[in-house]
Amino acid sequence: MLKTNLHIAIAHLLTGPFRFSILALLVLFIQGCATPVGIEPVDIQTGYQLNTESALSSGSPSEASKMVLRRNGLMDRFENEPEKVLAELHAELKPTGDEDKLFTLAELSLLHAQKTADHAYFLAAAVYAWSLLFPDDGQTIQFEPSDPRYRLTYDLYNQALAQGLASPEDGATEEVEVQIKPGIYQLPFGALDLSLDRNGLSWGGYNLEHFISTAFLEIRGFRNRYRSPGLGSTLAASISREHLAANIAGANRLGPQTKVPVTLLARFKQARSALATGQIKGQLALYANDQSKSVSVDGHVQPLEIDPTAAYAYRLNDNPLYSMEILNFIRGGLFAGAIPEDRAKDGLFTIYPYRPGKIPLVLVHGTASSPLRWAEMINELEGDPLIREKYQLWVFLYDSANPIAYSAGVLREALENTLNEFDPERKDAALQQMVVIGHSQGGLLTKLTAIDSGDRFWNLISDTPFDKIKVSPDVEALLKRTLFFKPLPFVKRVVFIATPQHGAMAAASEWVRGVVAKLVTLPQTMLRGLAQAAAATGDEKLLAKLRRPPTAADNMNPNNPGLQTLASIPVTAVPAHSIIAVDGDGPKEEGDDGVVAYLSAHIDEAVSEKVVRWNHSCQGQPEVVEEVRRVLLEHLATLSMAIN
């Protein structure tokens, strides 16, 4: 009755005297209303977000999963009854195919697990994703590579696996520690029986432990985060406190704070067909990224997901060496106290275990510094596939207040010790092609690996011929190591970065040198050696050295006879490259980096010289890293030409 009366009223209005005005108002009203179907223009970022959002990127289902929910009338129910909806979708899975629904189950299971912290649903998401990636018939994922779900399925598997095996105590803002152990794990639709391949649990002679997911770590301090997409959960593993066996070459040269980038896989057996029974079997396996870059699954090679930069940043996070650098310069010996008893005591450490066939690249830090200051360069060089394949990075840690010749002797001996440990029979030709790079004072140590000094340094401190003094064998060895230098036959190229070849500006100050001399603690072995030599000869020069033992600051005084002698001996045995920092825009010849003047760093014999506009701490700057990269590639090219 009401409807009939409304129709009569409208008809009366439209036939009355105001019909034209009313019709015009109706037209305007209709034009102002949105149509049931239409569009709304958006900017390019919003458009992309609408088409690519997912459980991983936005915490909402992807459009592909929403389509499955809408088709089945489950959109609203999933919000209110997610577990029932997931169970229904699982029960409706066909024995084969059904990729759309399988993807939806993987994504929505992970989404529900994120909201509830229920690890069973994380593991279910990993199983669903694996079933989609690797069907039982030996084929790979059926999505086209252009389908956004193709890569997203890998990411769902990788992250769901890490979260599914995470420690239950880990909170949203804490590190996610992954528990790698066999056992029966609950699934929403059954159980997961996981075994463990223990072959990947050791690395470089150590057990691996405390596996932290790097997918949930944000890094700072590096320009670039090098990671490669692939299969598996990326982890940073700690090494055990003590190595497993003394006969594993190089175990004692891995740093105590080492974090190993590894990738975790859970290989599920016949997962697609096993979804119907709810009884899934699988095996956990770990792959160290320096040893494996890919794996075979059902006869198909799959690249592993790797995230080495995150593991390296985790290693450097709160590293105690940072806080020791200045204090160690003053007191000496603190670095040695931070090294476990079972590690090498000569200061030479490797980033990764020794790998035959790779050329050693040795980095030597400067004054009041440590190997941590090479972090940016190490990350960049390790991020270069060719350099990573051809070179192995070593670092030298030393007390930088000690006399430069003394530290250089320690470096030389450490290099020889390392080669004897790694390759006692000299079968590895790559070890004989070493490149040594030194920053600041480290450049002076580097130079002393590549020159022939004869007896010039000895003559500066004694008027007695060295072969005429009578000292104990250990003191004789110390003096020879510290004062007599010949090119090391395995060092084939050297690079100097901001090196005070002719002295550092601050070291010219007598006041600065005096303060350093009063503060620093020099090695007793060196002082005892000088005392024994002085007692044996009665040499006044040696006695003067004992009364005022020289420090590295004395050695970098432009007027120091030892430095002047070193500067007078050119590097001719191997190619030498020079990278010089000059702060500011003025003429380089008049400039300096705040510590070293250009004219001090310049050497005529350098086969290349690169000037960068930066301060003294330039070793991590892009121009410096790129010049080092160029030199390393040149070194490879030279070796290739020599072989051919």
Side-chain angles (χ1 to χ4, degrees):
M1 182 71 179
L2 180 63
K3 185 175 181 181
T4 302
N5 290 337
L6 181 62
H7 287 165
I8 293 172
I10 292 174
H12 179 73
L13 287 171
L14 292 178
T15 56
F18 302 103
R19 61 182 180 278
F20 292 110
S21 298
I22 293 172
L23 282 171
L25 288 172
L26 284 173
V27 169
L28 290 173
F29 176 75
I30 292 171
Q31 288 179 340
C33 292
T35 59
V37 178
I39 55 94
E40 182 70 34
V42 296
D43 58 42
I44 187 170
Q45 288 75 26
T46 303
Y48 186 78
Q49 290 170 3
L50 291 172
N51 287 289
T52 59
E53 71 172 355
S54 70
L56 294 178
S57 66
S58 65
S60 299
S62 65
E63 188 61 28
S65 292
K66 289 177 182 176
M67 288 173 62
V68 171
L69 290 175
R70 294 188 193 108
R71 286 173 183 169
N72 291 273
L74 299 174
M75 194 68 184
D76 293 334
R77 280 191 61 207
F78 180 70
E79 290 295 322
N80 301 314
E81 301 176 316
E83 294 183 5
K84 289 184 178 181
V85 169
L86 289 170
E88 291 175 17
L89 289 174
H90 179 91
E92 294 169 358
L93 272 176
K94 298 174 184 177
T96 58
D98 225 356
E99 285 84 7
D100 292 346
K101 192 169 292 183
L102 197 54
F103 173 84
T104 300
L105 280 165
E107 184 179 24
L108 297 186
S109 294
L110 182 137
L111 188 60
H112 180 59
Q114 287 177 317
K115 294 178 178 179
T116 62
D118 190 335
H119 288 207
Y121 281 91
F122 277 125
L123 291 174
V127 172
Y128 287 132
W130 182 274
S131 302
L132 188 57
L133 290 169
F134 309 109
D136 298 344
D137 57 7
Q139 300 298 311
T140 56
I141 188 169
Q142 298 301 299
F143 294 146
E144 293 294 331
S146 58
D147 191 325
R149 294 174 296 174
Y150 187 96
R151 177 61 221 173
L152 187 54
T153 304
Y154 281 88
D155 293 334
L156 289 171
Y157 168 81
N158 296 348
Q159 299 214 27
L161 178 61
Q163 291 278 28
L165 298 176
S167 172
E169 290 78 21
D170 292 340
T173 60
E174 297 176 347
E175 297 170 352
V176 175
E177 182 170 356
V178 179
Q179 306 293 314
I180 301 178
K181 55 186 179 180
I184 305 296
Y185 296 83
Q186 292 302 307
L187 295 171
F189 52 84
L192 172 60
D193 184 357
L194 285 177
S195 61
L196 175 61
D197 181 355
R198 297 188 175 275
N199 290 327
L201 290 177
S202 62
W203 177 87
Y206 297 86
N207 284 327
L208 295 179
E209 56 191 20
H210 303 306
F211 302 92
I212 303 300
S213 173
T214 65
F216 311 106
L217 296 179
E218 181 180 4
I219 68 168
R220 54 181 168 78
F222 284 136
R223 285 193 300 277
N224 295 310
R225 181 173 183 165
Y226 289 100
R227 60 191 306 171
S228 297
L231 180 68
S233 300
T234 56
L235 312 174
S238 300
I239 62 175
S240 55
R241 292 182 62 86
E242 296 183 356
H243 52 80
L244 302 174
N247 62 349
I248 297 180
N252 64 327
R253 295 196 177 276
L254 290 166
Q257 301 292 324
T258 294
K259 304 297 181 186
V260 186
V262 298
T263 303
L264 172 68
L265 285 191
R267 296 171 178 262
F268 302 122
K269 301 175 182 177
Q270 302 295 310
R272 184 65 180 88
S273 57
L275 288 174
T277 66
Q279 301 303 307
I280 312 294
K281 291 184 178 293
Q283 184 180 56
L284 296 171
L286 277 172
Y287 301 90
N289 295 166
D290 64 310
Q291 300 172 9
S292 302
K293 294 293 189 296
S294 63
V295 293
S296 178
V297 180
D298 294 339
H300 298 275
V301 175
Q302 294 286 330
L304 287 171
E305 181 108 349
I306 63 174
D307 192 7
T309 297
Y312 191 40
Y314 186 53
R315 173 181 186 170
L316 299 179
N317 188 59
D318 296 330
N319 193 298
L321 289 189
Y322 280 119
S323 60
M324 291 183 186
E325 289 176 338
I326 301 297
L327 191 57
N328 184 75
F329 175 77
I330 297 172
R331 293 183 56 187
L334 295 182
F335 285 163
I339 306 300
E341 288 299 319
D342 65 336
R343 303 301 203 278
K345 298 304 179 183
D346 57 19
L348 202 289
F349 294 95
T350 62
I351 305 298
Y352 291 106
Y354 163 59
R355 292 285 178 265
K358 290 190 174 186
I359 300 168
L361 173 58
V362 185
L363 304 175
V364 187
H365 66 80
T367 306
S369 185
S370 76
L372 303 186
R373 301 300 171 174
W374 291 108
E376 185 68 59
M377 182 172 289
I378 289 173
N379 184 54
E380 290 297 318
L381 296 180
E382 284 288 330
D384 185 305
L386 180 57
I387 290 176
R388 185 174 63 241
E389 177 189 353
K390 298 296 186 181
Y391 289 92
Q392 50 187 317
L393 273 77
W394 303 352
V395 295
F396 180 59
L397 176 69
Y398 67 103
D399 292 345
S400 58
N402 290 342
I404 289 171
Y406 178 85
S407 297
V410 176
L411 169 62
R412 290 166 59 94
E413 186 173 64
L415 294 173
E416 291 175 326
N417 290 343
T418 305
L419 263 62
N420 289 334
E421 293 168 16
F422 292 171
D423 186 33
E425 299 180 7
R426 298 295 188 265
K427 294 181 179 180
D428 189 352
L431 292 184
Q432 304 300 311
Q433 302 299 327
M434 185 182 296
V435 178
V436 184
I437 301 179
H439 171 254
S440 191
Q441 181 190 157
L444 299 177
L445 273 61
T446 296
K447 183 175 182 179
L448 287 165
T449 68
I451 64 167
D452 187 342
S453 67
D455 59 3
R456 278 177 275 192
F457 293 124
W458 171 256
N459 292 337
L460 290 175
I461 68 168
S462 177
D463 290 327
T464 304
F466 186 75
D467 58 3
K468 300 298 184 182
I469 67 168
K470 303 297 182 183
V471 292
S472 63
D474 58 328
V475 170
E476 181 181 0
L478 171 65
L479 294 174
K480 282 184 176 180
R481 186 186 75 190
T482 304
L483 295 165
F484 298 87
F485 299 92
K486 287 186 177 296
L488 292 173
F490 45 80
V491 174
K492 293 300 194 295
R493 194 176 295 263
V494 293
V495 181
F496 305 117
I497 302 176
T499 298
Q501 307 279 5
H502 302 276
M505 294 185 295
S509 168
E510 183 177 351
W511 181 84
V512 170
R513 298 196 307 275
V515 169
V516 172
K518 291 179 180 179
L519 291 176
V520 302
T521 302
L522 295 175
Q524 291 301 308
T525 54
M526 183 193 76
L527 297 178
R528 285 195 296 268
L530 286 174
Q532 191 176 129
T537 62
D539 194 304
E540 181 56 35
K541 286 184 178 179
L542 282 172
L543 290 172
K545 293 296 181 186
L546 277 175
R547 287 191 290 270
R548 171 65 164 82
T551 68
D554 294 311
N555 295 155
M556 289 186 284
N557 175 9
N559 298 315
N560 180 267
L563 181 67
Q564 292 174 343
T565 298
L566 177 59
S568 71
I569 308 172
V571 178
T572 57
V574 297
H577 302 264
S578 192
I579 302 173
I580 302 175
V582 175
D583 206 0
D585 300 325
K588 64 181 182 180
E589 293 81 5
E590 300 175 9
D592 60 72
D593 61 16
V595 177
V596 179
Y598 167 82
L599 292 178
S600 175
H602 172 79
I603 53 174
D604 292 335
E605 70 267 24
V607 297
S608 69
E609 179 180 280
K610 175 73 173 180
V611 174
V612 298
R613 296 292 176 168
W614 200 256
N615 59 39
H616 188 64
S617 298
C618 63
Q619 61 269 47
Q621 291 305 303
E623 287 181 277
V624 175
V625 174
E626 290 308 304
E627 176 65 5
V628 168
R629 193 195 314 272
R630 184 196 67 78
V631 170
L632 295 178
L633 295 178
E634 178 181 309
H635 190 57
L636 290 177
T638 302
L639 295 179
S640 177
M641 291 174 60
I643 293 173
N644 295 332

